[in-house]
Every structure is written in structure tokens, then in C-alpha cells.
């Protein structure tokens, strides 16, 4: 007799982003002809730069010739891409070995799957608010108790708020797996070296592992802020880093990411090399490698010219961010975090409104889609996230519509 994984029943009804799409669809169907302006999902909109297009085309051409055709590649990723990632880290000031790099088809599956190499006994700590995948995958795996409607029992929520400048203090109880995202989704806050060092020291002392999501690291323009946790002394002993080509190179639809599991990364019952070999086993068993065409696109994105072109597109989105910030502040809304070294702005809802009420108000009055803060965790209630990804003219239209039509 088959039985379901009843942990699914603990989850909140719908995953955040499909729930937003559902509400927007219902509204659009009832109000045909109204133009919806999207500052909700962090979805890239600008064309891929020429160096990446060249890399992708060349790779397609290789497949047309029997002498250069390739079939399955290494599950961990092609050698040239893994080496390009190693050299990317070297430029950031971190020494990573090629067999510590695991290429994937995006960061989402890596941040979702990485928990599977750890015991179900592990106590999990998440920044609150956080990208919902960290919490939901641990719920599915059975590392939490029941859903109270606001929180999950057994999970440690590390509150990020105005008082701590949206970076949490160390957990007061012993935790085993710690999710940190910097630049943070949704608050846009970026951890300093000192803040990360505190967590690294904690993890080493407690034999915990940090899962560091660096998906937005290329949006950091302040050179004093770390773009990888591996510039922090000791981080290779306690941290797994996950990154993506989605936001830095516009690969949201193309799909490519990577995880780094250093050989020196250990935990209570894993000595040197064990976590790396477990992730290798997991990936080689359950994943068949990223598309060879896309991997060649990734190599092009990490080339000198590719990085330069991608930087220009990042700067375009960051100009959007400045436009949004200025417009929201002119409207009297409080942008409390983000938008400077990150493509998200974290904004207080006016008059103490609930996040989803503000979502509906924004949609019906200004026809603008934002993301309700409570969708990212209990500390997100009373806030909303605005994404700076979008065509400039749409961003300007959205900001104008908020200024002219939102009734405060
Ligand atoms: C909507 C902190 C976006 N359907 O594209 P990937 O898989 O390489 O990266 C996913 C990812 C990983 N880590 C962080 C992220 O913020 C994201 C993407 N988040 C958003 O608007 O918050 C897209 C969300 C998508 C999803 O569910 O991920």
C-alpha cells in the first residue's frame, strides 16, 4: 500500500510565486484590457549580450558536426566551465578546486536538494524573511513540526529587521544547518565581512554547516562587501556556496547554476572529503548534467568580455532600482533596505497594512505587481518587495502609476 509523504500537508497552500501569478490572472480575466505592470518576480528582461550569444551559437554549431558533436557530459559539469568558475573565484580572492564545483541547471534545485545530504535530525535556521525554498524543502524533508499558520515548529527563524539592519544575530540555541543569502532575497541587505565571520566562527565551533546563497553577488558594487563567503577565513571548513547565472548573466530562462562543496567542509559525523563525495554521489545519481550548449554559454559569460557585458546589464537594472527608490520615496513610502547592492527593494507597507492587502491594493489601484513580504516568512509581514528587473519604460510606467493611482 503506497503512502504519501505527509510532510507536504504541512506546507502553506501554494508556493509564493505561483500564488501571485494566480491572483494576477484572476484580476486580468476580470479586467481585460488593463495593462499589468510587473515588479514582482525577479525575472530578467534584457537580451543576452553578444559574447554569450556567440558562445551559445558556436556550441549549437559544434552539434551539427559529427567530429565536434557531444552527448552526455560529466554530471558535475564540463571541465572548461568548472575551470572558468574556479578562475572566477580566484579573481574574487578565493581558492576553489575544480572538483569542488558542481554545475547545475540553476540555483533553485541546488538550494532545494542540498539538504538531502544531511540528517533529518538537523536543526535548521533560516534568515527571516528568506527565499521560501529553504523553508519549504526542509518541511518536505520532515525537519519541522506542524505549520502554526505563521511559522513551522522546530525551525529557527533568525529575524531580520530594522533594528539589526536586516542581518540576523547568531542563533541563541545550537543549530546545525544555517541558510544565509547575501545579497538577500527579499530584503536586498548585504552581509559585511564581519557579520559573515561571526557566522563562520559559530559554524566551526558548533560543527554546523552554512548554506550560502550568493545568487545576487554580482549586484554588489561596494568593494568592501564580500561577493563570496570563501573570502572569510575558515569558510571552506563550514560553508557550501550556491550561485546562479540567472541574474548575473540573464540565464533565468536559459538555466545554469553551480554549487561549491569544499573538500574541507566538515560537520559532526563527516570528516574531510565526505560532504563533497556525498554531493557528488547525489548529483551523479539524480542529475544528468546541464545542457552542453548552455554550459558553453556559461563559459562565455565568465570570459573577460562576457563579464564586462553582463556588468553593463546589471548596471541597467540598478538604474531601474534607483528610479523605483526615488519614485516610492516621493510617494511617501519607506524603502527600508536594499536597492543599492541588490536588485530588490524592501518597503514598509503604509499605515500598518498587511502585506497581501497591500498586494491587492497595488494591483487593483496602480495595476502594479509586487511581492508581499509575508510570503517570505513571518518577519516579512508589513513589508513588500519590489523587483528592479524590467524594461526601463515599464519600470517608469509602474512607478508613475504608483505615484498617481495608489491611494494612501
Ligand atoms: C521565481 C536567493 C526569484 N520560479 O534561477 P535559479 O534557479 O538559478 O535561481 C533561483 C533563486 C535562487 N536563490 C535565490 C533566488 O532569489 C532565486 C530566484 N528568485 C525571486 O523573484 O525571488 C525568482 C522566483 C522562481 C522561483 O521560485 O525561484
Amino acid at each position: 500500500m503506497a503512502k504519501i509523504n505527509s510532510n507536504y500537508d504541512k506546507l502553506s497552500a501554494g508556493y509564493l510565486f505561483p500564488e501571485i501569478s494566480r491572483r494576477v490572472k484572476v484580476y486580468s480575466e476580470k479586467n481585460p484590457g488593463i495593462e499589468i505592470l510587473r515588479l514582482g518576480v525577479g525575472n530578467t528582461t534584457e537580451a543576452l549580450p553578444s559574447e554569450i550569444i556567440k558562445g551559445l551559437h558556436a556550441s549549437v554549431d559544434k552539434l551539427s558536426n559529427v567530429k565536434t558533436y557531444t552527448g552526455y557530459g560529466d554530471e558535475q559539469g564540463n571541465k572548461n566551465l568548472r575551470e572558468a568558475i574556479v578562475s572566477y573565484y580566484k579573481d574574487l580572492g578565493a581558492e576553489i578546486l575544480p572538483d569542488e564545483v558542481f554545475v547545475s541547471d540553476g540555483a533553485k534545485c541546488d538550494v532545494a536538494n542540498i539538504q538531502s545530504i544531511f540528517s533529518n535530525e538537523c536543526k535548521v535556521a533560516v534568515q527571516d524573511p528568506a527565499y521560501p525554498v529553504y523553508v519549504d524543502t526542509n518541511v518536505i524533508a520532515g525537519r519541522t513540526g506542524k505549520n502554526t499558520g505563521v511559522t513551522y515548529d522546530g525551525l529557527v527563524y533568525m529575524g531580520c529587521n530594522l533594528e539589526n539592519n536586516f542581518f540576523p544575530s547568531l542563533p541563541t540555541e545550537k543549530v546545525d544547518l544555517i541558510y544565509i543569502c547575501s545579497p538577500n532575497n527579499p530584503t536586498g541587505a548585504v552581509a559585511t565581512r564581519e557579520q559573515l565571520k561571526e557566522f563562520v566562527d559559530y559554524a566551526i565551533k558548533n560543527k554546523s554547516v552554512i548554506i550560502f546563497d550568493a545568487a545576487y553577488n554580482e549586484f554588489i558594487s561596494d568593494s568592501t562587501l564580500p561577493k563570496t563567503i570563501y573570502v572569510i577565513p575558515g569558510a571552506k571548513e563550514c560553508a557550501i556556496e550556491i550561485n546562479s547565472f540567472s541574474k548575473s548573466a540573464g540565464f533565468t530562462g536559459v538555466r545554469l547554476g553551480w554549487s561549491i562543496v569544499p573538500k574541507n567542509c566538515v560537520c559532526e559525523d563527516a570528516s574531510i572529503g565526505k560532504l563533497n563525495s556525498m554531493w557528488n554521489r547525489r548529483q551523479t545519481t539524480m542529475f544528468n548534467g546541464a545542457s552542453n550548449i548552455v554550459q558553453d554559454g556559461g563559459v562565455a559569460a565568465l570570459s573577460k568580455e562576457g563579464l564586462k557585458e553582463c556588468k553593463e546589464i546589471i548596471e541597467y537594472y540598478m538604474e531601474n532600482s534607483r528610479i523605483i527608490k526615488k519614485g516610492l520615496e516621493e510617494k511617501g513610502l519607506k524603502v527600508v533596505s536594499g536597492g543599492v547592492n541588490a536588485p530588490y527593494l524592501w518597503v514598509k507597507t503604509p499605515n500598518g497594512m498587511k502585506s497581501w492587502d497591500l498586494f491587492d491594493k497595488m494591483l487593483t489601484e496602480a495595476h502594479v505587481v509586487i511581492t508581499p513580504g509575508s510570503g517570505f516568512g513571518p518577519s516579512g509581514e508589513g513589508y513588500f518587495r519590489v523587483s528592479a528587473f524590467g524594461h526601463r519604460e515599464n519600470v517608469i510606467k509602474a512607478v508613475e502609476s504608483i505615484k498617481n493611482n495608489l491611494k494612501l
Side-chain angles (χ1 to χ4, degrees), residues 15 17-18 40-43 105-109 111 131-134 181 183-185 213 215-216 242-247 251-252 255-257 344 371 376 385 387:
Y15 179 62
F17 296 103
V41 180
N43 202 359
D105 59 4
K108 184 177 183 177
C109 42
V111 291
Y131 182 45
V133 175
Y134 315 143
C181 177
N184 186 267
N185 176 15
D213 188 339
Y216 301 96
I242 293 166
N243 207 326
S244 170
F245 287 83
S246 281
K247 311 299 161 69
F251 277 31
T252 42
R255 311 300 308 142
L256 194 65
Y344 296 127
T371 308
F376 297 99
R385 188 194 80 174
S387 162

